[in-house]
Amino acid sequence: MKMERTEQKEREFFDSVVCVRRVTKVTQGGKRFSFSALVVSGDRCGNIGVSQGKGREVSLAIAKATARARKNMISISLRGTTIPYSVTGRHGASRVVMRSAYKGTGVIAGGAVRAVMDVLGVKDILAKSLGSSNQINVVKATLNALAQLRSIQHIAALRSQSPAQIISGAHHAAE
């Protein structure tokens, strides 16, 4: 048990700062500036965390966001270097449509979605961001779509079947 914890801490994380915003609070004495940073953190093996950090300096905001993102990671089901099937995610007025792609296609996605895919370890995907281009909402919509993904083992367990039965059933349904 002790070895598992040390292995988990030695795991290498990759961070991407999606956006940094300057926030102004107007007080009686003048204006007070602080910064808000959105950071995406992952291990390029299907685990990802997203968080926002706020602080009086940019480096402090990024450090807070990075620490929180690494703490709150979720696991995403991938199929090789892509996603298993097409999904759509929504958050606010933002919508992200993602489709699996053949090996060698690359990451065809916009800035915020590309940052998520990079730290997640997805190398081949087609993605389109629709609606609001607010980076925070686009990242949350992307995570919403990724959270909908299930592995064939998980679906088989839900249906009380083996993965082979599901594959053969899908094949017969297509005929």
Side-chain angles (χ1 to χ4, degrees), residues 141-163:
T142 305
L143 236 61
N144 178 280
L146 291 170
Q148 296 172 24
L149 295 174
R150 303 285 181 255
S151 68
I152 195 162
Q153 289 81 10
H154 184 260
I155 293 169
L158 289 174
R159 297 183 187 175
S160 302
Q161 295 178 332
S162 70

Side-chain angles (χ1 to χ4, degrees), residues 24-35:
T24 308
K25 179 181 180 182
V26 180
T27 60
Q28 191 175 2
K31 294 179 181 177
R32 210 171 260 180
F33 298 108
S34 62
F35 296 90

